[in-house]
Structures are given as structure tokens and as C-alpha cells.
Amino acid sequence: MTSGRRSKSFVARVTSGFFEPELRAWHGAEPLGKVFWGYGVSASAIFVFLHVLAIHEGRLVAQQLLLFGFAGYTIWILVSVWRCATNAHPFWGLLARWLTVAWAGNTALLIFFLQLDLVTRYLEH
């Protein structure tokens, strides 16, 4: 540490290396198509599948954890799509931003009603 700067720990280096594409998306440095379709649509479909599976199996704790995870993921993907929209043709960037606003509203309502359903089921037990 002769330069006065702290070097990253092993865990920090491995984590930042593993999540490098996601960090680049957060900073708006990835292609819009990759972020929108790959991280946005595909990952959301996986969350939906897992949540439907948890509902089918009656796993309330899994449903709750998935809602928390989906809420955090949604914040990340909305910011990432918004920032990466500048990497595309202006038409597609604008369309992605409008869809992001709609996505945010839809997700907020979805999480609210699924959480309300979970609270109701918790109180029934």
C-alpha cells in the first residue's frame, strides 16, 4: 500500500469480476438489446416461473423471498435499461424508456397485490 490506496480484497475482485456485465449494464455500458431482452425479459420470466412454482407448492416463505428478490432485481433492471437506452438508435432507446415506465408501474402493482395475497394467507394460518 505504498500508493496510499487500498487494494481490493480477493472476494471483492472475484465478485466484481463475476458481476462485471451486470455492473456495466448498471452504468449504461452494455448494448440495449442485451439488457432489455437478456436481463429484462428472460430473467423476469425465470422469476415468474419460480414464483408460480412456489405458489403451486404452497411455499409462502419462498414466495416472500422471491418478491423481495424481484423487487430488488426490478430496480436494477429499470435503471440499467434506462441508462443503456442511449446505446441504441434513438427510436429504440425512446421506446425502451417508455416500456420501462410501463414496466415499473406494472411491477409495482404486481408486487403490491402478491404481497397483499401473502399477508392474507399468513393471517389465515
Side-chain angles (χ1 to χ4, degrees):
M1 286 203 255
T2 58
S3 66
R5 291 180 45 172
R6 298 173 122 193
S7 62
K8 286 184 176 180
S9 70
F10 174 74
V11 174
R13 285 193 311 265
V14 169
T15 303
S16 66
F18 184 76
F19 290 109
E20 182 182 358
E22 291 79 10
L23 291 170
R24 288 178 44 78
W26 176 263
H27 293 292
E30 287 287 331
L32 176 62
K34 176 183 177 182
V35 174
F36 187 89
W37 293 106
Y39 291 121
V41 175
S42 298
S44 292
I46 292 169
F47 266 106
V48 168
F49 172 77
L50 292 174
H51 198 270
V52 168
L53 188 61
I55 289 172
H56 179 70
E57 294 177 355
R59 297 181 177 203
L60 298 179
V61 174
Q63 291 173 52
Q64 185 66 69
L65 292 173
L66 283 165
L67 281 182
F68 286 142
F70 189 60
Y73 157 79
T74 297
I75 292 167
W76 173 80
I77 194 62
L78 294 175
V79 170
S80 297
V81 166
W82 193 271
R83 290 177 177 172
C84 290
T86 60
N87 300 334
H89 183 277
F91 171 77
W92 296 115
L94 182 64
L95 182 61
R97 285 185 170 170
W98 276 105
L99 288 171
T100 298
V101 171
W103 192 343
N106 179 56
T107 301
L109 288 172
L110 177 71
I111 289 173
F112 173 77
F113 285 113
L114 286 173
Q115 185 62 53
L116 188 62
D117 180 57
L118 273 177
V119 169
T120 303
R121 288 200 262 150
Y122 283 140
L123 293 176
E124 289 175 353
H125 282 88

